[in-house]
C-alpha cells in the first residue's frame, strides 16, 4: 500500500544527481555519405560539446578529443557548430572560437587566425576547396560586432585568389545579420538569409541569391523573398539545382514555397508551422530525400508531426510516429534522421527507413530506465485568458506509486514559464519536470501568448505586451487548475529562466497571486538590458516593449527592479557569473532590493556558467536548492538530505 505523506515530501528515484549526470543534450545532426554525426552536450564533462559519429555498422565513437569543445558563440546562442565533408570534420572550438579541421584519425588543426572572430553555419564549397560561413567580428572594442558571410580556406590556404592565407574573405556584407548560406549543387549560386535591426529572424528576414564569378566572388545578388514583416526559414536547393525551397509565414503560418524559373509557388497551405524561430544556426525542419520528395516536420497546437511532401503533386502524406516533438531533420535516399521525443520518451536521435517503415533509435539523451508508475504524462490543456482568448499549456499531475497524499490535501503547483520568449515548450518527457511531479508537486508548463507553434497571430500577441500577456496567461493557467480542483491555489510558485525569468519576476512584482518564485538568470531591468546585452537581442525589446527612448516610460514601468517593494513573497535567484545574455547585475540588484526590504530571498551564483547551466554539479545544486527553498516556504519535509540554502529574512 502507498505511504500517506504530504505533497512535496515524497521520496523519488528521479534525483537531481540522476538528472545532472545521467543524461546528455542532443543537438545538431549532420549526414556525410552513410555516416551520421551529431552533437552532444555532456554535463558530466563540464558541459563540453562533443561531436559523435555513427557508421553504417552501428559503431558509435567520439570525434572531438578533450579538451576541444565544439561550440560557437555567434549570436551568443550558437548553433551550426560543425560540418563534415568526406570524413573531415570542421568545427568551431569554444575556448578560442577558431575554426578547426579534423581529418579521420588525426588531431584538430586550426584554419583561422587567433583573433576576436567567431564562425558559424559553415558549408563546404568542395570545388574551390573552401568553406562559406557566417563570421562575427569582435576585433574592435566598443563597436557593435560586425556580421558577414565569408569564405575560409578548407586547409588554411588562401580562400580567394591573391588573398591573405591568414584571414577569411568577405563574400556578402552590409546588413546586421546573416544565416543559412546554401550552395547550389553545381556550385554556381549561393542563397542566404539576412535581416536588420530591430527585427529578429522570426519578425522579418530576406532570402537572397547571388552568382559566383571566376574568382569565387558573389555577383548579381537579388532578393527572392521576404521583407520586414515576412519571416523566411531554411532555404535549401533541390538536388537537381532547378529550384530553391524555403518556408515563409506570409500567410500567418510558416508554409513551404518553391522558387523556380524566377517565380514563387506555394507547396503547402496549412494552419501549421513548418518553420521555427531561429534562435540558433543550423536548424532544420525538412530535407530532400530525392529531387522529387522532401521529408518534413510540422507543428499544430503544440504537437509535432512527420510527413512526406511530393514536390510534383504537392501531396503531403503524414508519417505515423510515436513522437510529439521532431527537429533537426536530415535525409538521404530512402531514410530520414531526426531528433525526437514523446511524453514517454526523452529526446533521441532517430533514423526512419522510409521503405520498411521502421524507426531505429540511434542515441538516447538518457539510458536511464524509470518505472512508468513514477512518470506523469503531459496533458494538453486550453485555458481561457484575458480578452476572451485562449492560451495553451501542458499539465502534469503528481504521480509516485509509493506515495499518496492525505485525503483533504491538494498538491502545490509549480508554473513553468519558458524562455525566449519567442519559443515554445513541448510534451516530450523531461526529467526536470518529473523531478517535481514524483515528489508530489503539480506542474503546468505554459505556452503563453507569444509562443511559437500556433501561428504568427498568436506569436505576435506579445508585441508591445511582454510582461503583460505572458504573466496573464501564467496566472490564468494556475487559476484554471485551482478552479478545477486539481491544485492548491494557496501554494502556487512560478519559475523560469532568461525571458521566462523575466515573466516570473513580473508575475511576482505586479500580481499578488504567487506565493513563491524561482528566477534563473531572469531579466529585471529592461533599460539596463538594452544597454548591456549582446548584438543579436539588442533591439529585441523594440517589438516586445516599444521604441526606445521614445517609450522609456514603458521600460521603467515593466522593470521589476523599480518596483521590488511590491514583492511580498519569497524568491530564489540562480545566476551564471559569465552570462553575456542576461548579465549577473540583473539578478544581483533584485537580491539586494529584496534583502533591504526584508523579503525572504536566496541567491545562488555559479562561477564559470553562462546563459543556461551546463555543468552537472550546478544543475544538481540548482534543482536541490529550489526544492529546499519551497520546502521552507510551503512548510513540508523533504525526503532526501540536501545542502541547505541560505534564505535571508526567513523566520
Amino acid at each position: 500500500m502507498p505511504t500517506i505523506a504530504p505533497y512535496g515530501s515524497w521520496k523519488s528515484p528521479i534525483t537531481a544527481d540522476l538528472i545532472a549526470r545521467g543524461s546528455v543534450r542532443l543537438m545538431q545532426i549532420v549526414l556525410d555519405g552513410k555516416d551520421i554525426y551529431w552533437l552532444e552536450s555532456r554535463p558530466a564533462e563540464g558541459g563540453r560539446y562533443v561531436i559523435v559519429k555513427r557508421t553504417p555498422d552501428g559503431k558509435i565513437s567520439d570525434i572531438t578529443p578533450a579538451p576541444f569543445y565544439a561550440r560557437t558563440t555567434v549570436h551568443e546562442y550558437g548553433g551550426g557548430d560543425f560540418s563534415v565533408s568526406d570524413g573531415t570534420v570542421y568545427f568551431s572550438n569554444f575556448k578560442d572560437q577558431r575554426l578547426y579541421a579534423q581529418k579521420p584519425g588525426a588531431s584538430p588543426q586550426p584554419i583561422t587566425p587567433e583573433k576576436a572572430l567567431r564562425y558559424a553555419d559553415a558549408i563546404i564549397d568542395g570545388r574551390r576547396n573552401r568553406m562559406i560561413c557566417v563570421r562575427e567580428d569582435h576585433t574592435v572594442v566598443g563597436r557593435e560586432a560586425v556580421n558577414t558571410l565569408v569564405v575560409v580556406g578548407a586547409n588554411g590556404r588562401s580562400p580567394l585568389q591573391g588573398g591573405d592565407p591568414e584571414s577569411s574573405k568577405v563574400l556578402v556584407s552590409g546588413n546586421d545579420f546573416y544565416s543559412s548560406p546554401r550552395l547550389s549543387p553545381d556550385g554556381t549560386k549561393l542563397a542566404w538569409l539576412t535581416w536588420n535591426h530591430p527585427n529578429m529572424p522570426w519578425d522579418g528576414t530576406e532570402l537572397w541569391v547571388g552568382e559566383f564569378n571566376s574568382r569565387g566572388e558573389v555577383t548579381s545578388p537579388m532578393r527572392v523573398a521576404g521583407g520586414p514583416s515576412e519571416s523566411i526559414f531554411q532555404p535549401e536547393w533541390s538536388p537537381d539545382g532547378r529550384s530553391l525551397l524555403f518556408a515563409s509565414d506570409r500567410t500567418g503560418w510558416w508554409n513551404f514555397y518553391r522558387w523556380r524559373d524566377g517565380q514563387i509557388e506555394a507547396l503547402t497551405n496549412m494552419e501549421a508551422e513548418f518553420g521555427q524561430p531561429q534562435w540558433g544556426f543550423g536548424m532544420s525542419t525538412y530535407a530532400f530525400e530525392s529531387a522529387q520528395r522532401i521529408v518534413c516536420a510540422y507543428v499544430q497546437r503544440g504537437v509535432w508531426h512527420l510527413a512526406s511532401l511530393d514536390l510534383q503533386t504537392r501531396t503531403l502524406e503524414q508519417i505515423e510516429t510515436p513522437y510529439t516533438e521532431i527537429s533537426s531533420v536530415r535525409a538521404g535516399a530512402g531514410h530520414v534522421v531526426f531528433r525526437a521525443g514523446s511524453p514517454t520518451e526523452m529526446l533521441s536521435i532517430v533514423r526512419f527507413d522510409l521503405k520498411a517503415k521502421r524507426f531505429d533509435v540511434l542515441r538516447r539523451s538518457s539510458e536511464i530506465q524509470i518505472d512508468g508508475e513514477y512518470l506523469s504524462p503531459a496533458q494538453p490543456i486550453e485555458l481561457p485568458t484575458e480578452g476572451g482568448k485562449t492560451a495553451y499549456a501542458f499539465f502534469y499531475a503528481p504521480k509516485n506509486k509509493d506515495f499518496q497524499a492525505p485525503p483533504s490535501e491538494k498538491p502545490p503547483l509549480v508554473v513553468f514559464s519558458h524562455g525566449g520568449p519567442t519559443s515554445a515548450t513541448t510534451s516530450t518527457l523531461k526529467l526536470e519536470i518529473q523531478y517535481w511531479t514524483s515528489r508530489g508537486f503539480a506542474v503546468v508548463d505554459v505556452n503563453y501568448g507569444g509562443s511559437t507553434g500556433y501561428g504568427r497571430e498568436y506569436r505576435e500577441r506579445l508585441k508591445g505586451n511582454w510582461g503583460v500577456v505572458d504573466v496573464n496567461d501564467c496566472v490564468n493557467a494556475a487559476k484554471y487548475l485551482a478552479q478545477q480542483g486539481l491544485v492548491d491555489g494557496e501554494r502556487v510558485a512560478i519559475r523560469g529562466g532568461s525571458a521566462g525569468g523575466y515573466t516570473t519576476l513580473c508575475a511576482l512584482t505586479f500580481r499578488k497571486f504567487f506565493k513563491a518564485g524561482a528566477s534563473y538568470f531572469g531579466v529585471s531591468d529592461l533599460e539596463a538590458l538594452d544597454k548591456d546585452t549582446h548584438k543579436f537581442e539588442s533591439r529585441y525589446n523594440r517589438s516586445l516593449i516599444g521604441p526606445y527612448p521614445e517609450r522609456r516610460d514603458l521600460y521603467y514601468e515593466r522593470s521589476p527592479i523599480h518596483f521590488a517593494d511590491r514583492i511580498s513573497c519569497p524568491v530564489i535567484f540562480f545566476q551564471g557569473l559569465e552570462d553575456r545574455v542576461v548579465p549577473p547585475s540583473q539578478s544581483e540588484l533584485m537580491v539586494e532590493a529584496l534583502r533591504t526590504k526584508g523579503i525572504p530571498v536566496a541567491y545562488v551564483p555559479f562561477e564559470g556558467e553562462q546563459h543556461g547551466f551546463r555543468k552537472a554539479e550546478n544543475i544538481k545544486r540548482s534543482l536541490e536548492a529550489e526544492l529546499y527553498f519551497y520546502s521552507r516556504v510551503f512548510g513540508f519535509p523533504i525526503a532526501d538530505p540536501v545542502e541547505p540554502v541560505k534564505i535571508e529574512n526567513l523566520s
Side-chain angles (χ1 to χ4, degrees):
M1 293 291 292
T3 300
I4 304 299
Y7 287 116
S9 68
W10 300 350
K11 186 175 180 63
S12 169
I14 306 171
T15 64
D17 189 64
L18 179 146
I19 293 171
R21 300 184 185 278
S23 61
V24 297
R25 183 182 170 203
L26 301 173
M27 294 169 288
Q28 180 185 356
I29 298 172
V30 173
L31 304 187
D32 182 45
K34 295 183 178 181
D35 295 329
I36 301 170
Y37 295 78
W38 63 82
L39 194 61
E40 296 184 2
S41 174
R42 298 175 177 172
E45 296 183 32
R48 191 169 76 96
Y49 284 35
V50 179
I51 299 167
V52 178
K53 174 183 177 180
R54 184 186 188 275
T55 53
D57 60 3
K59 182 182 178 181
I60 294 177
S61 58
D62 289 355
I63 297 299
T64 315
F68 289 97
Y69 185 146
R71 178 177 172 234
T72 178
T73 57
V74 176
H75 294 180
E76 299 301 330
Y77 294 106
D81 307 275
F82 77 101
S83 56
V84 188
S85 178
D86 295 329
T88 299
V89 176
Y90 303 90
F91 68 93
S92 177
N93 185 46
F94 175 64
K95 184 177 181 180
D96 56 14
Q97 288 299 293
R98 299 173 75 183
L99 280 174
Y100 284 74
Q102 184 178 357
K103 295 184 180 297
S107 60
Q109 299 297 316
I111 57 174
T112 56
E114 292 187 81
K115 293 182 178 180
L117 302 170
R118 307 175 186 180
Y119 306 87
D121 218 8
I123 58 170
I124 310 301
D125 183 356
R127 290 172 177 80
R128 301 175 181 89
N129 194 32
R130 64 184 190 175
M131 288 185 292
I132 300 171
C133 57
V134 176
R135 188 184 72 182
E136 193 170 76
D137 185 342
H138 292 259
T139 56
V140 179
V141 177
R143 180 194 69 183
E144 184 176 71
V146 176
N147 293 61
T148 53
L149 290 181
V150 301
V151 291
V152 175
N155 56 5
R157 297 174 61 189
S158 174
L160 284 178
Q161 293 178 12
D164 180 358
E166 294 301 316
S167 66
S168 50
K169 296 296 180 181
V170 175
L171 276 182
V172 182
S173 63
N175 288 347
D176 292 321
F177 300 99
Y178 294 91
S179 77
S180 314
R182 297 293 185 266
L183 188 67
S184 63
D186 62 3
T188 63
K189 299 182 182 67
L190 182 72
W192 67 90
L193 295 180
T194 184
W195 66 99
N196 288 305
H197 287 313
N199 269 352
M200 300 299 283
W202 47 86
D203 295 322
T205 52
E206 295 178 350
L207 171 60
W208 285 71
V209 172
E211 298 181 356
F212 288 115
N213 63 15
S214 59
R215 288 174 49 82
E217 301 163 327
V218 172
T219 62
S220 307
M222 63 175 294
R223 184 174 66 86
V224 170
S229 57
E230 178 185 0
S231 174
I232 308 296
F233 176 83
Q234 194 191 343
E236 300 283 357
W237 294 97
S238 62
D240 58 14
R242 294 182 57 201
S243 60
L244 180 66
L245 265 67
F246 59 93
S248 165
D249 71 348
R250 60 181 61 184
T251 64
W253 300 84
W254 272 305
N255 272 266
F256 285 131
Y257 296 83
R258 174 168 55 194
W259 180 66
R260 184 168 62 178
D261 300 327
Q263 302 295 319
I264 293 176
E265 54 185 336
L267 298 176
T268 60
N269 184 19
M270 294 172 57
E271 289 191 352
E273 301 280 39
F274 291 88
Q276 294 177 285
Q278 294 183 75
W279 280 105
F281 295 97
M283 302 175 73
S284 174
T285 60
Y286 75 96
F288 281 89
E289 185 273 333
S290 67
Q292 304 304 326
R293 176 163 74 156
I294 64 170
V295 179
C296 57
Y298 65 91
V299 60
Q300 285 182 310
R301 293 184 176 271
V303 177
W304 283 87
H305 307 271
L306 192 67
S308 169
L309 177 62
D310 186 307
L311 298 175
Q312 287 184 315
T313 64
R314 304 183 197 179
T315 302
L316 188 75
E317 180 181 351
Q318 187 162 330
I319 300 170
E320 293 298 326
T321 82
Y323 304 109
T324 57
E325 179 180 355
I326 300 171
S327 61
S328 197
V329 178
R330 306 293 180 188
H335 70 278
V336 58
V337 182
F338 50 89
R339 188 181 69 162
S342 76
T344 58
E345 293 277 346
M346 295 174 63
L347 286 173
S348 300
I349 304 295
V350 179
R351 183 183 185 277
F352 179 63
D353 187 308
L354 290 163
K355 184 177 181 180
K357 310 293 184 185
R358 186 184 70 248
F359 293 95
D360 294 312
V361 176
L362 308 183
R363 178 74 160 106
R364 289 183 169 86
S365 56
S366 175
E367 295 296 338
I368 297 166
Q369 297 296 315
I370 298 173
D371 188 332
E373 292 300 313
Y374 295 105
L375 300 178
S376 177
Q379 303 173 43
I381 59 173
E382 299 183 9
L383 57 108
T385 192
E386 257 65 16
K389 297 179 179 179
T390 299
Y392 303 90
F394 296 103
F395 174 64
Y396 300 81
K399 187 176 180 182
N400 185 319
K401 69 176 183 178
D402 301 326
F403 291 91
Q404 183 177 316
S408 60
E409 188 181 357
K410 292 179 181 177
L413 174 69
V414 181
V415 177
F416 278 50
S417 57
H418 66 71
T422 307
S423 182
T425 187
T426 69
S427 61
T428 289
L429 177 63
K430 304 178 186 72
L431 290 186
E432 183 184 19
I433 287 177
Q434 304 301 322
Y435 177 83
W436 299 104
T437 56
S438 62
R439 283 168 171 74
F441 287 83
V443 169
V444 63
D445 203 0
V446 185
N447 271 329
Y448 48 77
S451 301
T452 52
Y454 305 90
R456 187 170 185 126
E457 182 180 351
Y458 192 81
R459 190 166 81 237
E460 292 189 344
R461 281 189 192 178
L462 213 57
K463 279 205 166 185
N465 287 299
W466 192 28
V468 179
V469 166
D470 47 328
V471 170
N472 286 338
D473 290 353
C474 286
V475 170
N476 288 329
K479 286 183 174 179
Y480 174 81
L481 294 170
Q483 291 164 0
Q484 299 292 314
L486 298 172
V487 302
D488 182 351
E490 295 302 314
R491 292 193 295 167
V492 181
I494 183 170
R495 75 190 301 273
S498 189
Y502 172 70
T503 299
T504 294
L505 293 175
C506 283
L508 298 171
T509 304
F510 303 119
R511 300 293 292 270
K512 299 297 182 183
F513 178 79
F514 294 100
K515 308 304 181 184
S519 170
Y520 284 73
F521 36 90
V523 176
S524 65
D525 187 336
L526 294 170
E527 190 173 7
L529 181 72
D530 254 30
K531 296 176 180 178
D532 200 22
T533 195
H534 57 123
K535 178 184 178 181
F536 181 60
E537 293 183 90
S538 62
R539 311 293 194 280
Y540 194 12
N541 286 342
R542 304 302 193 270
S543 64
L544 295 174
I545 304 295
Y548 185 87
E550 295 86 346
R551 293 311 311 269
R552 188 178 182 187
D553 58 320
L554 285 179
Y555 285 70
Y556 183 90
E557 291 169 10
R558 293 197 203 152
S559 293
I561 188 61
H562 302 306
F563 305 95
D565 60 317
R566 297 186 186 181
I567 297 179
S568 57
C569 69
V571 188
I572 186 169
F573 294 81
F574 300 91
Q575 180 69 48
L577 295 181
E578 294 183 9
D579 193 336
R580 292 285 308 278
V581 177
V582 179
S585 60
Q586 293 276 326
S587 292
E588 291 164 357
L589 289 171
M590 285 295 292
V591 171
E592 182 57 35
L594 296 182
R595 179 185 290 134
T596 301
K597 188 191 174 188
I599 296 298
V601 62
Y603 180 46
V604 185
F606 293 114
E607 293 279 357
E609 288 286 13
Q610 299 177 320
H611 197 63
F613 306 151
R614 294 175 173 85
K615 298 179 181 179
E617 61 270 24
N618 297 336
I619 295 170
K620 177 179 186 249
R621 174 59 173 155
S622 61
L623 274 173
E624 291 184 341
E626 190 178 350
L627 175 64
Y628 176 85
F629 183 78
Y630 293 150
S631 76
R632 294 292 308 279
V633 172
F634 292 139
F636 59 82
I638 49 180
D640 299 305
V642 300
E643 182 184 347
V645 179
K646 181 182 178 182
I647 307 174
E648 301 181 56
N649 303 323
L650 183 67
S651 59

